[in-house]
């Protein structure tokens, strides 16, 4: 226990060495000097709290909020000194807010505990004492041999010892880890692969030495030492030998593995990333307003205290005959009295700080986030995926985006690759009907390429069929084992197998080679079999030189059927061509550039033949590098560089990745909304520019500026200055900037300001050849610029995670590159086109709702507490409260809370179709305009004005009504009687509740039955509650000040008259202002509201970007034209649009109606 406490405090780290030694089956050395290492148990803990720490930890987190801490201080002050209000008035709302938040967080954590218990209690089989024992997952220890059956998940990180296959391999999927659904092959070392039974495993003597746990899923460095007949055999272990917790066993009956990392030390657990807390602009504004209101509160408290002592300077007011001081009060310290009075006034006015604001905002965000998931327009029917909300704290930030950073592959494109062209030995070919046809020829021409290829063409196709990591899945489960699955006429059948690949490019190339006639048909251990035009050939796989982001190529070393050794390699042209010494290098380089200009993804293929002596040297270098425990990566890179040189160029491939649906319209909509779009991609320059042009990111009329291949800081600075000059000279023309990764590194190093100046004057920016961290640096550069714009990053792959986490709002695309981007994002959508509605509609709604909620909360609390401040001028600053303590407590909790919550969930200033049809309306709410200081000042002053009307209106209209002379009569200087102070306070409170509720009703544009229910229901509830509260003598109340007060008030006709007059006086100027501004100075939003009524009902699908119904895609121009031609779409009245130059939104064109069209109903 003591050691655990020391570990938690960081005094006793669990791992002292850089490596760990794992004894298989926990057979420790028998000598007495061995001290066993201590490892974590196999429990997974994703929960935040335990039964013991929930209360203190949760309270600590909640009281870190400034409003909660402030009310706690006020509550403690009320307990310690004699204050005018009961501690319950502050304690009850505080208790309500803390309790609601604690219940919500406790329930979420209970769900995490429940999920943890299911995982930790799952049954597993472990080899112990010579037999297979069933136990729970949490009981697995490092060193245990674990058995996993087909379709089960691995309960810990295991080093594969053996499988039911003779070669000791197994297939796994890692979809839950990185989202890749392809089959991955893992291997066991030859010495352990024969241990396929419990008895042989029991006799196994082996020790695994490996690195300490780290989060990288694709890195594992270790070695296994197997003792056989007294001899120690050492084998290297790498990622291909490690089975990760969370992965699933496929196409293999069972495996045995030794646990090396358990519980929270497994790679899956180490990848549980605590996302940095993102705070929205609204939350920052809210905190600023809270500080301003705190200053107002302190000012009112200090002023009241000073005026009290100024008033009491006269003896007749200092100690009146009816309130004689005690000796203790006369002798007390003036400073202590001043502090005590100041604190009393602080308590009296403390409700100007709205404690329930936080809990209302939290509920609004949580409940409002469901609308995104429920929106059928954001549902993708083909993949059966709906939008996801991973964090609801940033809903309103969707309405403030100024920059969108998007990945290209899989985000703008489909990530569905189709082989189009290739270059072999300097000749371009294209695929036609399963044949390779040279450029300029047709399939039926006499000189067309025949299936019987020879020489370079055949070698190129063999390289494509063999240089990959593609796996084959068979329909017949046992076809890998015994019988020949390729016994049909052509030697293989497409029905028998399906290719799985981590890279869509690889899969497309292997499938293309198969269609042409060179098919990859079998992978059995280290044997790779291809059928070249029906002739079977078997190659032995000697080594795989894995792909990595630095080399940007991958290679395989094979033994040919004739016994020769050959290396096939493929990769980016910049990673292959510099290392080639033979072949048609210049022609191929030109062909690669041509492919890229067409928007094709390019790969270059090369080979190298080894002599027997060369291969012995290569094999020795690879084995030394792979068995190294220290600096293995560096040694492998050296070996790879030594091997991948002196290459013979075979050719290049061009694969097409087609654009997603409606990408061009979406980018245009974002541009019209005032949002700048940057494309950040790892593709080469020509491919990226071609795709940017085709998707509308760049226009053909744009002046494309280039910052490419800069070699030095001075060269880069000079180029940036020349680009800045060109932009100033051609200020009328739109500019687009293309920059590559190397030049970007130089620009960001010392010329950030100059680079930013060029970028901000460009309509679109394209960054190519980008590394993942460079993407994040670009986002951070814009995010931290002086204007502090709101940024959004969207991508679909693991390489986009860094920029998704860096941006203010991160959006993951549910694409084909896994789920890492989705897991690390704030929101997830299935297609890029859904981004338009997410921002233009949902973002717009969320922002106006929460902006009004925040302003209204401050307004109603100013209305609430200012009459209390004014009342002190009429009671000699005696700290007499104007309202009853029950009303003080329930004002924010019951009487005025529901209308604003419902408003903040359902309000729509403009119809959603109009918002999509007019992206320019997004500009009206940009830069946090609805929470500007000017708007904040308006709502605050409005609150003060209404409070003055409540107080003085009640005083003037009712001050001489002698029928209401109730309890607490006050004798005025002119000997006239004013009605009782509780009656007066209740009148002010009644007027206030009605006015602030109706004020929100005036602000509401979109009325639902729920709005009506809570608006009129809140007023009715106040009246019913007050009648019961004041009409019955409650035995548990200490005082009965309000007994019969409300009934007496309502029995007076003049009171009803006063209520009506005061409410009209407060709200009538608001109505006049709204009418005046709407007719004389209407905003773009108000102009568009006229479209929301009858015209929106007739909006056609053609007039809306995303006007889909029930998840179906909208109409397109082509679809509309075809429907008209076939008579399937009936034409309604003309819906021509005219745009006048005098309109404020003259550039705000409908996305699909840039010219007058005929509106049709789809």
């Amino acid at each position: 226990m003591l050691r655990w406490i020391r570990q938690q405090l960081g005094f006793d780290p669990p791992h002292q060495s850089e490596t760990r030694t794992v004894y298989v089956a926990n057979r420790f050395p028998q000598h007495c000097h061995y001290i066993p290492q201590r490892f974590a148990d196999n429990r997974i803990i994703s929960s935040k709290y335990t039964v013991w720490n929930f209360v203190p930890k949760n309270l600590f987190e909640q009281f870190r909020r400034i409003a909660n801490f402030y009310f706690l201080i006020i509550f403690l002050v009320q307990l310690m000194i004699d204050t005018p209000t009961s501690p319950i008035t502050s304690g009850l709302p505080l208790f309500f807010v803390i309790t609601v938040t604690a219940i919500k967080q406790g329930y979420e954590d209970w769900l995490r505990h429940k999920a943890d218990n299911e995982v930790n209690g799952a049954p597993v089989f472990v080899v112990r004492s010579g037999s297979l024992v069933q136990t729970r997952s949490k009981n697995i220890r490092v060193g245990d041999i674990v058995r996993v059956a087909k379709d089960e998940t691995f309960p810990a990180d295991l080093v594969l010892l053996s499988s039911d296959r003779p070669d000791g391999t197994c297939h796994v999927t890692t979809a839950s880890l990185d989202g890749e659904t392809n089959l991955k092959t893992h291997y066991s070392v030859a010495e352990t692969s024969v241990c396929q039974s419990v008895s042989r495993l029991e006799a196994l003597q082996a020790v695994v030495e490996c690195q300490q746990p780290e989060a990288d899923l694709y890195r594992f460095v270790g070695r296994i030492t197997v003792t056989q007949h007294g001899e120690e055999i050492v084998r290297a272990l790498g990622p291909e030998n490690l089975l990760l917790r969370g992965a699933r066993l496929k196409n293999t009956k069972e495996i045995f593995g030794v646990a090396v990392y358990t519980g929270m030390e497994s790679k899956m657990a180490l990848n549980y990333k605590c996302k940095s807390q993102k705070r929205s602009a609204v939350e920052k504004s809210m905190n600023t307003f809270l500080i301003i209101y705190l200053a107002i509160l302190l000012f009112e408290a200090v002023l009241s205290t000073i005026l009290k002592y100024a008033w009491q300077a006269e003896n007749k007011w200092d100690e009146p005959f009816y309130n004689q001081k005690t000796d203790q009060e006369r002798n007390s310290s003036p400073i202590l009295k001043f502090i005590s009075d100041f604190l009393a006034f602080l308590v009296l006015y403390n409700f100007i700080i709205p404690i329930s604001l936080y809990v209302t905002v939290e509920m609004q965000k949580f409940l409002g986030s469901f609308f995104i998931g429920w929106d059928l327009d954001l549902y993708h029917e083909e993949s059966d995926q709906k939008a996801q909300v991973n964090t609801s704290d940033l809903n309103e930030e969707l309405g403030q985006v100024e920059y969108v950073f998007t990945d290209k592959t899989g985000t703008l494109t489909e990530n569905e690759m189709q082989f189009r062209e290739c270059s072999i030995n300097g000749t371009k070919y294209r695929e036609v009907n399963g044949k390779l046809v040279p450029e300029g020829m047709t399939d039926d021409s006499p000189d067309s390429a025949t299936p019987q290829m020879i020489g370079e063409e055949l070698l190129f196709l063999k390289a494509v069929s063999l240089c990959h990591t593609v796996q084959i899945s068979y329909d017949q489960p046992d076809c890998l084992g015994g019988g020949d699955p390729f016994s049909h006429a052509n030697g293989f059948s497409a029905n028998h197998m399906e290719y799985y690949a981590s890279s869509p490019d690889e899969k497309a190339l292997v499938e293309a080679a198969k269609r042409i006639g060179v098919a990859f048909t079998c992978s059995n251990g280290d044997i790779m079999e291809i059928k070249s035009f029906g002739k079977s050939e078997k190659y032995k796989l000697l080594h795989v030189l894995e792909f990595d982001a630095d080399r940007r190529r991958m290679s395989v070393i094979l033994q040919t059927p004739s016994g020769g050794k050959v290396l096939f390699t493929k990769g980016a042209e910049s990673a292959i061509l510099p290392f080639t010494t033979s072949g048609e290098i210049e022609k191929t380089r030109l062909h690669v550039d041509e492919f890229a200009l067409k928007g094709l993804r390019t790969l270059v293929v090369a080979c190298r033949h080894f002599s027997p002596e060369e291969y012995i040297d290569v094999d020795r270098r690879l084995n030394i590098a792979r068995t190294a425990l220290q600096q293995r990566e560096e040694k492998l890179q050296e070996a790879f560089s030594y091997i991948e040189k002196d290459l013979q160029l075979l050719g290049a491939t061009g694969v097409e990745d087609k654009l997603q649906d409606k990408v061009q319209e979406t980018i245009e909509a974002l541009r019209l909304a005032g949002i700048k779009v940057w494309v950040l991609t790892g593709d080469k320059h020509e491919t990226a520019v071609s795709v940017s042009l085709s998707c509308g990111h760049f226009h053909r009329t744009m002046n494309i500026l280039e910052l490419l291949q800069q070699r030095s800081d001075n060269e880069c600075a000079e180029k940036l200055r020349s680009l800045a000059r060109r932009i100033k000279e051609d200020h009328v023309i739109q500019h687009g900037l293309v920059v590559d990764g190397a030049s970007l590194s130089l620009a960001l190093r010392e010329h950030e300001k100059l680079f930013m100046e060029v970028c901000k004057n460009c309509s679109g920016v394209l960054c190519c050849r980008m590394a993942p961290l460079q993407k994040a640096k670009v986002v951070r550069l814009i995010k931290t610029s002086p204007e502090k714009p709101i940024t959004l990053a969207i991508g679909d792959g693991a390489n986009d995670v860094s920029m998704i986490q860096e941006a203010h709002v991160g959006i993951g695309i549910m694409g084909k590159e896994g789920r890492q981007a989705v897991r690390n994002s704030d929101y997830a959508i299935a297609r890029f086109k859904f981004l338009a509605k997410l921002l233009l509609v949902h973002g717009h709604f969320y922002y106006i709702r929460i902006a009004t909620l925040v302003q209204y909360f401050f307004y109603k609390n100013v209305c609430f507490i200012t009459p209390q401040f004014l009342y002190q001028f009429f009671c000699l600053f005696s700290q007499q409260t104007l309202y009853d303590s029950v009303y003080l407590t329930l004002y924010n909790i019951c009487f005025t809370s529901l209308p604003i919550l419902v408003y903040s969930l359902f309000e729509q200033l403009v119809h959603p179709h109009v918002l999509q049809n007019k992206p320019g309306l997004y500009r009206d709410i940009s830069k946090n305009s609805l929470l500007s200081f000017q708007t904040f000042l308006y709502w605050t002053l409005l609150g003060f004005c209404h409070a003055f009307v409540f107080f003085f209106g009640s005083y003037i209209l009712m001050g001489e009504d002698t029928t209401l002379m109730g309890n607490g009569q006050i004798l005025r200087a002119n000997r006239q009687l004013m009605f009782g102070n509780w009656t007066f306070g209740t009148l002010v409170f009644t007027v206030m509740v009605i006015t602030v509720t109706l004020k929100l009703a005036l602000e509401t544009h979109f009325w639902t039955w729920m709005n009506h229910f809570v608006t009129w229901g809140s007023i009715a509830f106040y009246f019913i509650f007050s009648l019961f509260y004041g009409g019955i003598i409650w035995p548990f109340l200490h005082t009965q000040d309000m007994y019969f007060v409300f009934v007496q008030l309502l029995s007076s006709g003049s009171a009803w008259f006063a209520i009506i007059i005061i409410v009209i006086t407060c709200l009538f100027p608001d109505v006049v202002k709204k009418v005046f501004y709407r007719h004389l100075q209407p905003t773009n939003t108000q102009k568009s509201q006229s479209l929301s009524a009858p015209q929106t009902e007739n909006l056609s699908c053609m007039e809306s970007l995303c006007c889909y119904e029930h998840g179906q895609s909208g109409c397109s121009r082509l679809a509309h034209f075809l429907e008209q031609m076939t008579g399937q779409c009936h034409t309604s009245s003309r819906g021509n649009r005219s745009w006048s130059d005098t309109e404020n939104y003259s550039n705000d064109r409908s996305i699909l109606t840039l010219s007058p069209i005929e509106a049709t109903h789809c």
Side-chain angles (χ1 to χ4, degrees), residues 1055-1112:
W1056 284 103
F1057 176 74
I1059 291 171
I1060 294 169
I1061 289 297
I1062 294 169
V1063 170
I1064 291 175
T1065 304
C1066 288
L1067 298 179
F1068 184 71
D1070 276 353
V1071 176
V1072 172
K1073 171 183 166 291
K1074 283 179 178 293
V1075 173
F1076 178 81
Y1077 275 100
R1078 180 174 284 272
H1079 283 81
L1080 297 183
Q1081 291 181 342
T1083 63
N1084 292 342
T1085 302
Q1086 288 169 340
K1087 290 177 183 178
S1088 300
Q1089 283 171 347
S1090 60
L1091 286 175
S1092 301
Q1095 294 184 35
T1096 357
E1097 296 173 7
N1098 295 324
L1099 272 179
S1100 70
C1101 293
M1102 290 293 293
E1103 292 183 283
S1104 173
L1105 173 63
C1106 306
C1107 172
Y1108 321 135
E1109 186 175 357
H1110 306 303
Q1112 297 175 356

Side-chain angles (χ1 to χ4, degrees), residues 478-521:
D478 298 325
C479 65
L480 267 179
D484 180 13
F486 313 110
S487 55
H488 287 273
N490 296 327
F492 58 88
S493 170
N495 296 329
H496 276 190
M497 60 186 181
E498 187 177 352
Y499 295 128
Y500 288 90
S502 55
S503 164
D505 300 74
E506 280 194 338
K507 183 180 178 184
L509 290 174
V510 173
E511 287 176 341
K514 177 182 173 183
R515 289 194 301 271
I516 293 165
V518 181
F520 171 53
T521 57

Side-chain angles (χ1 to χ4, degrees), residues 771-777 779-780 793 797-807 824:
L773 283 178
Q774 282 185 313
K775 293 183 177 184
K777 283 181 181 177
V779 175
R780 192 182 306 122
N799 60 331
D800 303 314
V801 169
S802 54
M803 76 167 179
I804 283 173
Q805 291 182 331
E806 182 64 43
N824 288 278

Side-chain angles (χ1 to χ4, degrees), residues 124-128 131-135 140 144-147:
V124 294
F125 287 92
V126 179
V127 177
R128 284 182 184 159
S131 60
L132 208 56
V133 178
Q134 182 173 351
T135 183
I140 294 175
D144 279 345
I145 298 176
V146 182
R147 192 204 78 168

Side-chain angles (χ1 to χ4, degrees), residues 988-1052:
V988 173
F989 193 84
T990 303
V991 170
M992 179 173 56
V993 169
I994 296 172
T995 304
V996 297
T997 305
L998 293 181
K999 168 62 181 169
L1000 185 64
L1002 285 177
E1003 296 296 319
T1004 304
H1005 293 84
F1006 187 73
W1007 283 88
T1008 65
W1009 68 267
M1010 203 172 290
N1011 291 85
H1012 284 288
F1013 178 75
V1014 297
T1015 300
W1016 315 120
S1018 292
I1019 297 173
F1021 173 74
Y1022 165 70
F1023 276 90
I1024 295 168
F1025 173 84
S1026 298
L1027 286 170
F1028 274 91
Y1029 173 58
I1032 300 172
I1033 297 178
W1034 300 98
F1036 53 83
L1037 294 176
H1038 297 295
T1039 60
Q1040 210 51 53
D1041 294 331
M1042 294 298 294
Y1043 180 66
F1044 226 61
V1045 169
F1046 198 71
V1047 177
Q1048 190 178 15
L1049 177 70
L1050 296 186
S1051 65
S1052 168

Side-chain angles (χ1 to χ4, degrees), residues 445-499:
S445 62
D447 294 326
S448 172
T450 62
Q452 298 299 326
M453 293 186 179
I454 55 171
E456 292 85 357
E457 290 88 349
L458 195 56
L459 184 61
F460 172 84
L461 289 173
K462 287 181 179 179
V464 169
S465 298
L466 292 167
C467 183
H468 54 72
T469 56
V470 173
Q471 299 295 327
I472 303 175
S473 177
Y474 296 90
D475 291 343
Q476 299 174 1
D478 298 325
C479 65
L480 267 179
D484 180 13
F486 313 110
S487 55
H488 287 273
N490 296 327
F492 58 88
S493 170
N495 296 329
H496 276 190
M497 60 186 181
E498 187 177 352
Y499 295 128

